[in-house]
Amino acid sequence: MPVPPLRREQLDGILDRLDTTGIGRRDLLKVFGAAGALAAAGAVAGGVGRFAGEASASVVAHDKVAILTNSRDSEYSITWEAGGLAAAKQLGLRAVALDAHWNATEQVNQFNQISGQGYGSAILLSTDGAAVKSIAKQADRTRTYMSSAWDTAPWNTPWDSAGYYAQYSQADEFTAESQVVEQLLRSIGGEGTVIRIAGAAGSLAEEQRRTAAEEVLAKYPKVRLAGSLNTDWSPQQSQQATGALLSRFPDTVGVIAVNDDVATGAVAAIRGIGKAPGKDVLVVGANGSNEGINRVADGAQLATTGNSPAYCGFQQVTRLYDMQRGWTPDPAERMLQWRAILITRDNVAGYQARFVHQPPDRQVNATLLSRVQSPQNWDTQFLTYPIVDLERQFVGLPKPAGWTAPQAWLDAKTDGSFERITALYRDHFRSDPLKSTPDHQGRQI
């Protein structure tokens, strides 16, 4: 059953009660619209957490979290932000969400602003790695917990900070990209011309996905990667890049899009030359964004990787919530990744029902994610494990002069901590992402 949209007077009431400089009217609608069905008034109000009027006069910093996104131009970022807001709602936090408009300086300034306003934590979908490194230094100075997803400065990790850079997290890019590229190459019969529409050159996610794609392509000598162009991750630039490559290589039968926003542009370009995506040219993406999932369901896109953008926001907010309440992570769990699911028409219905047809606050159970709220029966809800191999993590990115491995990482490698944490998280992967969101007892319908 579709969720009714907000009436203007309901939205105005929410905006009047937002804590500090938060989401504007258009942005709030965009977040909860593109993230998969507009939430009802109560869900949206809760999504931005408890409001200032509901708190006591002496507000403590650990009741407030900031959600700093790179740009609301992409569906992934919008849904990640909505997941963070939904987690804050479930955990009783006040939250503010800010858009950096792909400007690293603006994002650093936003962090400085919120840390000065009494926010005890911030999750970050970074504009670039340099911003993460700068923010991590400021976090240590101001004792503001922060968590970064998907990007960080080359060879800079949470272990390099004094402790307030609490966590780095991402989906397991190598496994996910390998699966989706393999699916494409098998589907074209192991031969023919393919093109790749890439992300921002030199970014962490792009380097990881490029490496994984090249490793799979090397196993198929009859497949020709005819060309590749970098983009800014947006559908608009991706459509232009795809169109340019299709005009040069009209025999193209497959497109490797770096993510689903890029796949949106690729599909539009294919249609623009009068061909049918899903028939004449097969397209694969990544991330499990709503538009990508819906295209897989209707056949316009061959496959994607279901890592749930909302889940990333949930995981980050929950980790900071726990730390601010006295839980201390093992050093081996400071960098984490989760296993994305290869999504095809065979299994898309389950993912679509949970992560597309429900609003973000119903997609993940933050209470079960929390080590504080659920100390015995915590449930990762996606298979999660530590990032161990830094050479592979930062593939293609040169080490800074004088770089040395963090001592905490070296200790975790030698004392068996990574193996122990891997086993612990495997033990607490207790619900199926392709089934309904678990309730507080961990039950799924």
Side-chain angles (χ1 to χ4, degrees):
M1 178 179 175
V3 183
L6 290 172
R7 298 190 304 274
R8 182 183 178 87
E9 61 270 22
Q10 291 174 310
L11 183 59
D12 287 342
I14 293 168
L15 291 168
D16 287 344
R17 292 179 289 162
L18 272 174
D19 186 47
T20 108
T21 51
I23 312 174
R25 180 176 288 104
R26 289 178 63 190
D27 287 327
L28 188 66
L29 283 170
K30 189 177 180 185
V31 166
F32 286 93
L38 284 167
V44 176
V48 293
R50 296 184 304 176
F51 299 111
E54 298 169 347
S56 66
S58 56
V59 176
V60 291
H62 65 244
D63 282 335
K64 302 167 82 174
V65 61
I67 297 162
L68 308 182
T69 191
N70 46 25
S71 171
R72 293 185 187 129
D73 285 343
S74 79
E75 188 194 344
Y76 183 95
S77 301
I78 293 167
T79 311
W80 169 87
E81 182 179 300
L85 291 170
K89 171 207 169 182
Q90 289 188 20
L91 295 169
L93 301 174
R94 293 187 298 160
V96 61
L98 301 172
D99 181 354
H101 307 98
W102 285 119
N103 186 312
T105 300
E106 184 174 352
Q107 193 163 62
V108 172
N109 289 339
Q110 287 170 348
F111 183 84
N112 293 342
Q113 178 188 18
I114 64 96
S115 61
Q117 291 178 346
Y119 280 79
S121 64
I123 68 170
L124 183 69
L125 194 60
S126 68
T127 54
D128 62 36
V132 180
K133 192 171 183 178
S134 178
I135 288 170
K137 290 179 180 178
Q138 177 70 357
D140 285 337
R141 285 194 294 268
T142 60
R143 299 183 178 182
T144 305
Y145 287 106
M146 53 86 65
S147 172
S148 175
W150 293 106
D151 203 3
T152 189
W155 299 92
N156 180 260
T157 73
W159 297 297
D160 294 305
S161 77
Y164 286 91
Y165 183 0
Q167 176 185 264
Y168 172 84
S169 61
Q170 65 170 66
D172 182 342
E173 293 282 33
F174 297 100
T175 300
E177 190 71 3
S178 296
Q179 287 179 326
V180 79
V181 174
E182 186 88 37
Q183 182 75 16
L184 173 65
L185 302 191
R186 287 180 179 174
S187 297
I188 62 173
E191 59 183 314
T193 298
V194 301
I195 58 175
R196 182 169 182 268
I197 311 302
S203 65
L204 190 59
E206 164 57 22
E207 291 302 312
Q208 292 173 347
R209 294 182 189 185
R210 177 189 58 77
T211 300
E214 288 175 354
E215 289 174 351
V216 176
L217 283 160
K219 300 189 300 183
Y220 290 83
K222 294 183 179 181
V223 173
R224 180 173 76 107
L225 178 61
S228 177
L229 288 175
N230 291 98
T231 71
D232 62 358
W233 310 94
S234 73
Q236 295 80 10
Q237 198 172 101
S238 305
Q239 182 174 355
Q240 295 170 1
T242 306
L245 288 178
L246 289 176
S247 67
R248 289 174 57 195
F249 309 109
D251 59 339
T252 295
V253 293
V255 178
I256 302 169
V258 71
N259 66 15
D260 287 337
D261 283 313
V262 170
T264 297
V267 166
I270 293 166
R271 287 177 172 148
I273 62 170
K275 292 189 175 182
K279 294 181 181 178
D280 302 320
V281 184
L282 303 183
V283 179
V284 294
N287 291 344
S289 297
N290 292 348
E291 288 190 33
I293 291 296
N294 290 335
R295 283 194 299 267
V296 171
D298 66 24
Q301 184 169 320
L302 177 67
T304 187
T305 59
N307 63 47
S308 172
Y311 176 78
C312 186
F314 265 90
Q315 193 221 50
Q316 287 183 280
V317 167
T318 304
R319 167 56 61 91
L320 299 188
Y321 170 90
D322 286 348
M323 292 188 69
Q324 290 176 291
R325 282 150 186 79
W327 176 80
T328 302
D330 189 283
E333 52 188 323
R334 297 280 298 281
M335 290 186 76
L336 293 175
Q337 58 191 340
W338 65 96
R339 180 67 60 87
I341 304 162
L342 176 66
I343 302 295
T344 67
R345 292 194 81 174
D346 292 337
N347 64 356
V348 69
Y351 188 95
Q352 194 176 40
R354 179 169 174 177
F355 294 108
V356 176
H357 291 164
Q358 295 191 117
D361 66 320
R362 299 180 193 168
Q363 294 176 12
V364 182
N365 187 325
T367 299
L368 280 184
L369 268 179
S370 169
R371 306 284 279 272
V372 170
Q373 293 282 345
S374 304
Q376 303 304 320
N377 67 323
W378 56 280
D379 178 5
T380 60
Q381 297 169 62
F382 275 81
L383 179 61
T384 305
Y385 38 95
I387 295 172
V388 180
D389 187 346
L390 294 185
E391 293 287 344
R392 191 153 175 81
Q393 176 68 17
F394 295 108
V395 64
L397 303 174
K399 292 185 179 74
W403 181 87
T404 57
Q407 189 60 48
W409 174 77
L410 292 170
D411 292 343
K413 280 178 69 75
T414 56
D415 67 13
S417 291
F418 282 126
E419 291 83 355
R420 174 173 51 81
I421 293 300
T422 297
L424 176 68
Y425 274 72
R426 185 173 57 242
D427 231 21
H428 283 271
F429 171 46
R430 299 184 173 182
S431 56
D432 186 344
L434 295 179
K435 294 183 179 178
S436 63
T437 308
D439 63 19
H440 292 333
Q441 284 73 48
R443 296 172 299 195
Q444 290 182 285
I445 299 172

